[in-house]
Amino acid sequence: RAGARGAAMEPECRVLSIQSHVVRGYVGNKAATFPLQVLGFEVDTVNSVQFSNHTGYAHWKGQVLNSDELHELYEGLKLNMVNRYDYVLTGYTRDTSFLAMVVDIVQELKQQNSNLVYVCDPVMGDKWNGEGSMYVPKDLLPVYRDKVVPVADIITPNQFEAELLTGRKIYTEKDALEVMDMLHAMGPETVVITSSDLQAPLGNDYLIALGSHRKTKADGTRITQRIRVESPKVDAVFVGTGDLFAAMLLAWTHKHPNNLKVACEKTVSAMQHVLQRTIKSAKVQAGEGNKPNSAQLELRMVQSKKDIENPEIIVKATVL
C-alpha cells in the first residue's frame, strides 16, 4: 500500500532562503519561511543577519553574517552532500561581498541542478512622494545589475528598482513593459514589478503591479505573457510585505508554472488578506484615534494560515 500512497505525494521541493532573521516580528526569513512551509515546501534558511527586530523600530540590536561565514555554512551542506535545491530565494542585503558570494553559490547549485530556479528580490530602495532613494549602499547596484540579475530566473523589483537596474525611467505602462523586456534580456524569465506609481484604471485607491513571463519554446519561438494587477491600497506602512510577496510568488509560480496570471492573483489576494487582517488588528491594539506603532503593525502571519494556504481570489489580474 505504501507505494500507492507514495505516488500521490508531491515530490519534495526544497528552497534555500538567504535572508535576514528577526527574533520578534516578520521580515526576511521570518516572513518567507512560514508561508512556504504551509504551501508544502522544505525551507533551509541562512540568516544574513540576526536582529532583535526590524530596523523600523526605535531600537534594534544584533549580528551580521559576513561572506566568509556564509561560505562556511554552505561548505558544511556541501560536505554532507545535502546541497541540492530546487529554488534559491534572496532578499535584502547590504554588503557587496555577501551578494557576490550568493551569486557564486547560486551558480554552483545550478551546475548541480540545471532546473534550479533563483527568485531574487533586488532590494535597493523605493519612492516616497514620487522621489526615489536608495536605502542600501550605492555600490550594490552594479553587482545586482551585472552579476545577480543575469543568474536570476524570477525577479520582483519595485518600480524604482526596475528603473535603477535598466537606467530607464517609467512614466507610462508602455514604458514599464519595455523596461520589463530590458530586464528579460538581462536574464530572468519572469519579471514582476511589485508596485508602481502608475495611474490605475480602477482609480487612485489602487496600486498597480505588472508581470511579464517570457518562455522560449523548443522550436526557438518566444512567447510573452503580460499582466496587470490592481490591488486596493492599504493605508499603513508595513514591513516584510516584499519578503512575503516574493516567497508566495515562488510558491504559486511553482504550482502554476505557465500561468503568471493565476500565480499573481493568488499571491496578491493572499497579501490582501494578510494586510487587511494586520491593519484591523493593529487598529484595535492601538485604540480609537491612535496611530498603530511598529510592533502593532507586524504582519498577522500565523493568523492568516488558511488564507496563505488557499487564498480566496479577491484581486483579479488583467492580461495585457
Side-chain angles (χ1 to χ4, degrees), residues 73-90:
L73 290 172
Y74 177 68
E75 282 299 304
L77 296 172
K78 207 160 110 179
L79 288 168
N80 291 312
M81 295 190 291
V82 287
N83 61 331
R84 188 189 156 84
Y85 288 96
D86 303 286
Y87 286 88
V88 175
L89 174 63
T90 64

Side-chain angles (χ1 to χ4, degrees), residues 38-54:
V38 161
L39 289 164
F41 294 79
E42 286 287 351
V43 188
D44 293 0
T45 54
V46 173
N47 298 326
S48 55
V49 307
Q50 168 165 269
F51 284 172
S52 52
N53 45 266
H54 73 66

Side-chain angles (χ1 to χ4, degrees), residues 13-17 29 32-38 40-46 85 89:
C13 194
R14 196 170 277 273
V15 181
L16 177 64
S17 180
N29 273 334
T33 306
F34 177 71
L36 283 168
Q37 287 173 331
V38 161
F41 294 79
E42 286 287 351
V43 188
D44 293 0
T45 54
V46 173
Y85 288 96
L89 174 63

Side-chain angles (χ1 to χ4, degrees), residues 184-206:
H184 282 310
M186 291 162 75
E189 220 173 57
T190 302
V191 177
V192 177
I193 297 179
T194 54
S195 63
S196 69
D197 47 23
L198 295 172
Q199 180 65 44
L202 287 174
N204 290 336
D205 296 335
Y206 287 81

Side-chain angles (χ1 to χ4, degrees), residues 214-249:
R214 176 180 284 180
K215 197 96 179 123
T216 305
K217 298 206 312 217
D219 62 2
T221 54
R222 280 202 305 221
I223 35 176
T224 306
Q225 182 192 17
R226 293 171 160 154
I227 55 142
R228 178 201 313 126
V229 189
E230 297 172 78
S231 50
K233 286 181 181 169
V234 184
D235 184 29
V237 177
F238 300 101
V239 181
T241 48
D243 308 323
L244 175 60
F245 185 97
M248 290 196 298
L249 187 69

Side-chain angles (χ1 to χ4, degrees), residues 22 32 51 65 81-82 101 144 218 222 257 263 267 272 274 301 304:
V22 288
F51 284 172
L65 194 75
M81 295 190 291
V82 287
M101 181 60 69
Y144 270 116
R222 280 202 305 221
T267 300
Q272 277 298 314
V274 174
M301 197 76 82
S304 304

